[in-house]
Each structure stands twice: as C-alpha cells, then as structure tokens.
Amino acid sequence: MQETPPPMPPEPPVPPATQRHNPLHGVTLEAMVRALSDYYGWPGLAEQMPVRCFSHEPSVNSSLKFLRKTPWAREKVESLYLFMLREQRRATRE
C-alpha cells in the first residue's frame, strides 16, 4: 500500500497593495505642515486655510497640537497638501 504525502502547509496570504498609489502613505502630519509652510509661507497658509493656528503666532508645534486634536482641520490640511503636490507636478510639466 502506498502512503500519501503529507499535505502542504497553506501559503501565507499576500498583503494587498492598497497603499501603492496613495500619495499620503508614509507622510507624517509634521512633514505636511512643514511642506505647506515652506510652499505657501505662514501668511499664505492662513489665507488658504483660515485657522487660528496658522494666523496667530504660527509654528509647526502649535499647528501639530491643534491638528492632532481636530479631525476636520487635519482633513483640510491633507487636502491642501494633495492640492500643493498637484500644483508642483503641473509646474514641472510646463
């Protein structure tokens, strides 16, 4: 009588590549605030997004403190960051 070989162990699942095209993946909130303040300057950033942390004695630390506590403001910063990236890409194409 012939013995059947033991069954092969299942292969581990392959993680989905869901973040491959997400430009925010791996970008910290601090990096976004620094990039936005470098690109627009604090007065320009306050004009783009009228939030007190950008207009009254702005700093990266005070902005981060506010944005980490305020989800709607963080979403606006992420949106503005994506807009800035699109503007930069368009400028390099021209």
Side-chain angles (χ1 to χ4, degrees):
M1 200 173 217
Q2 234 178 10
E3 287 186 30
T4 58
M8 296 293 291
E11 292 185 28
V14 177
T18 57
Q19 298 294 320
R20 184 177 2 171
H21 298 293
N22 182 355
L24 296 178
H25 183 68
V27 180
T28 64
L29 185 58
E30 181 179 358
M32 283 186 235
V33 171
R34 287 187 188 278
L36 289 169
S37 66
D38 289 345
Y39 187 75
Y40 292 109
W42 290 111
L45 188 54
E47 190 176 304
Q48 290 287 326
M49 200 174 140
V51 178
R52 186 174 171 85
C53 70
F54 296 144
S55 60
H56 295 82
E57 297 181 25
S59 72
V60 173
N61 287 336
S62 68
S63 300
L64 291 174
K65 194 178 219 181
F66 172 75
L67 294 170
R68 287 181 179 136
K69 293 179 184 177
T70 318
W72 64 265
R74 182 182 179 131
E75 288 175 15
K76 285 189 171 215
V77 165
E78 290 172 350
S79 177
L80 185 59
Y81 179 76
L82 292 173
F83 179 77
M84 179 196 72
L85 291 178
R86 284 191 302 269
E87 279 187 334
Q88 288 176 336
R89 269 187 261 137
R90 284 185 191 133
T92 58
R93 288 182 191 163
E94 294 174 357

